[in-house]
Amino acid sequence: MSKAKYLIPFIIATILVLTTVGTCNTTKAQALSYTMTDTEIVVSGATFEVHISKSGGITAYYFMGYPVLGTIGEGVAINIWDRDWAAHPTTSATVIKDPEIKEYDWGLLIKTYSKVELPNKGMFYEYTTVHRVYKSGAVVISTIVKALKDSDFAGAAILITFPCKYYYNGKFIAYRQGSVSFSVDSFPPEYNPEAEQEGFVIKHGMLDSGYLALPPEGKINVLIVFINPPEIKYIEVSDARAWGSDYFYLCDWVAPDWTGLNLIPRSAGDSYNFTWMIFPHNNGPNFSERFLKIMNEGKAANNYIRKVEKIVKSAKAKADLEKARASLSKLISAICSGNLDKAEQFATDAYKYARSAYSTEATRAGIRYIIIPIVICVALYGLAAKKWKGGAPEEEEEKV
């Protein structure tokens, strides 16, 4: 897999802060506290409680007492099915190092380490996962999946489950590039295998972000934003009651080719960094829509920055581009803290600085590649005019 093919977007550097501290049984981080057990870290805030597995997945998320999410990943953050589609054995990942936990003003950073080594399945993977848990309840998850040896698999996805009991008649709205891509207007109270051609699939499509609404309308919304990859080419909103479970789920496919993505490494030493965000809140659907709009503006600014990077050479343009990147880094903290006004300003600043970098470089390039050639052409025209009038300089006279 070519690493250059998949550029890491704007917040990866911010998310993967390498920090190492000792752990203890119960510690407070201002408004957040955490307790570590043999298998997980339980982080508690004013309105939420999130259970993070030591192998990298999330096993439960409670908001205002409701289990708004069941699991995010099973065992690990990205699940990989074996080549026979018999199972996704990454659920049984082995913890290879104690979690690292760091306190910040905004909340907690938790870093976990695990691996999956199954010679009989041809799977050898290592997971390094960072959870940034904000006091607001937002969680940014970033996981590096690395192939320890040449490996094989059938498919891979980010699995997000949510209990049927609480989402009957709830809805899911999927966005792509700022517009609604598809939606589930009401989750079915009973499993209906005839509802769709595939039976268990309620709806499918493409998205870069979306939100779940817990009924009654607007009581609790769960925001989901994909940052890397910036877009999921094929997502299934499905009904696990088809297999006797009692939850709905989002299956966000990231491999193989037929899903539109093929991001899981197969060759030894190759890796890929997946990053996404969840944010349950009770601020209503308008908050969700504005949140996603600002994130989309941030992504657009990042895409513009990446284009400008290709032409920047001057010191001033490089300085402006650094300011643009810094604004995007601040955007993620502001938006995860729930400060949408500040986040929107950072998105605006990021584009403004990137535009300034482009203008500087375009002016510089224009002087070199446009203005200078024009001056040369004018000079040559002057020489030609003199020659046509019989007044050419001596050194330019033709010898007969």
Side-chain angles (χ1 to χ4, degrees):
M1 176 180 293
S2 173
K3 296 180 182 178
K5 184 178 179 181
Y6 304 110
L7 296 176
I8 298 175
F10 65 91
I11 72 162
I12 300 298
T14 304
I15 294 168
L16 290 178
V17 181
L18 302 180
T19 53
T20 307
V21 295
T23 61
C24 57
N25 195 31
T26 301
T27 303
K28 292 209 175 223
Q30 294 182 15
L32 295 186
S33 64
Y34 72 86
T35 301
M36 189 180 300
T37 71
D38 291 341
T39 59
E40 63 183 11
I41 304 100
V42 181
V43 180
S44 300
T47 58
F48 71 94
E49 181 178 286
V50 57
H51 295 239
I52 299 171
S53 168
K54 286 185 176 180
S55 56
I58 288 180
T59 57
Y61 192 115
Y62 298 89
F63 185 78
M64 297 180 66
Y66 291 93
V68 293
L69 294 173
T71 58
I72 302 173
E74 295 183 43
V76 292
I78 307 288
N79 293 123
I80 306 175
W81 278 259
D82 63 32
R83 51 197 167 204
D84 300 320
W85 288 105
H88 41 93
T90 46
T91 56
S92 58
T94 301
V95 177
I96 56 177
K97 185 178 177 182
D98 288 338
E100 300 169 4
I101 303 176
K102 181 76 173 180
E103 302 175 12
Y104 290 94
D105 289 341
W106 46 261
L108 291 172
L109 183 146
I110 299 170
K111 192 173 184 180
T112 62
Y113 305 86
S114 62
K115 68 177 179 179
V116 175
E117 290 191 293
L118 299 168
N120 61 322
K121 299 288 187 179
M123 296 175 67
F124 306 89
Y125 288 104
E126 181 178 270
Y127 288 76
T128 303
T129 303
V130 171
H131 293 82
R132 291 171 64 95
V133 185
Y134 289 78
K135 294 176 185 178
S136 65
V139 183
V140 178
I141 306 157
S142 185
T143 186
I144 296 174
V145 181
K146 180 180 179 180
L148 298 173
K149 298 180 182 179
D150 289 353
S151 299
D152 195 14
F153 60 88
I158 301 167
L159 294 174
I160 302 176
T161 71
F162 44 104
C164 295
K165 178 181 177 181
Y166 294 97
Y167 282 92
Y168 294 143
N169 300 319
K171 68 179 181 180
F172 175 67
I173 302 176
Y175 289 83
R176 181 170 178 256
Q177 297 179 1
S179 300
V180 175
S181 173
F182 69 93
S183 65
V184 177
D185 297 325
S186 181
F187 286 104
E190 302 290 340
Y191 170 60
N192 181 5
E194 304 302 324
E196 292 283 345
Q197 183 179 355
E198 296 166 283
F200 60 89
V201 177
I202 299 170
K203 235 11 174 343
H204 64 81
M206 300 174 65
L207 61 77
D208 51 36
S209 55
Y211 71 89
L212 291 163
L214 190 73
E217 175 65 25
K219 183 175 182 179
I220 297 175
N221 286 183
V222 182
L223 293 162
I224 302 163
V225 180
F226 294 96
I227 298 165
N228 199 48
E231 182 175 84
I232 301 296
K233 303 292 186 181
Y234 185 81
I235 178 175
E236 295 174 355
V237 184
S238 299
D239 195 334
R241 289 174 295 183
W243 301 284
S245 298
D246 192 28
Y247 58 83
F248 303 111
Y249 66 92
L250 308 179
C251 190
D252 312 298
W253 292 99
V254 296
D257 290 332
W258 63 264
T259 69
L261 297 173
N262 200 353
L263 305 180
I264 299 296
R266 293 181 184 269
S267 301
D270 283 354
S271 64
Y272 190 85
N273 190 325
F274 297 89
T275 302
W276 67 101
M277 175 199 303
I278 59 167
F279 189 178
H281 68 87
N282 61 342
N283 298 315
N286 289 340
F287 179 92
S288 293
E289 289 164 7
R290 188 182 176 203
F291 185 105
L292 297 178
K293 176 179 176 290
I294 294 169
M295 284 299 296
N296 193 62
E297 290 171 354
K299 288 184 179 184
N302 179 62
N303 290 338
Y304 187 64
I305 288 170
R306 287 167 59 179
K307 290 178 181 178
V308 175
E309 282 174 340
K310 297 176 182 178
I311 64 167
V312 163
K313 293 182 180 179
S314 68
K316 184 181 183 308
K318 289 179 180 178
D320 280 339
L321 215 52
E322 283 305 310
K323 290 177 182 178
R325 295 190 191 99
S327 294
L328 288 181
S329 295
K330 293 174 183 176
L331 182 152
I332 197 67
S333 292
I335 203 164
C336 285
S337 298
N339 191 333
L340 301 193
D341 289 341
K342 185 178 287 187
E344 191 165 41
Q345 185 60 53
F346 285 134
T348 300
D349 289 346
Y351 184 82
K352 178 186 72 176
Y353 286 124
R355 180 68 184 174
S356 176
Y358 174 80
S359 297
T360 297
E361 206 58 35
T363 301
R364 184 193 66 81
I367 291 172
R368 180 176 177 182
Y369 299 112
I370 299 174
I371 297 175
I372 293 175
I374 288 175
V375 171
I376 293 172
C377 288
V378 169
L380 291 175
Y381 173 78
L383 292 174
K386 287 183 179 181
K387 184 173 182 179
W388 293 336
K389 292 178 181 178
E394 291 184 4
E395 62 269 24
E396 294 293 328
E397 287 183 352
E398 291 185 12
K399 303 299 181 183
V400 179

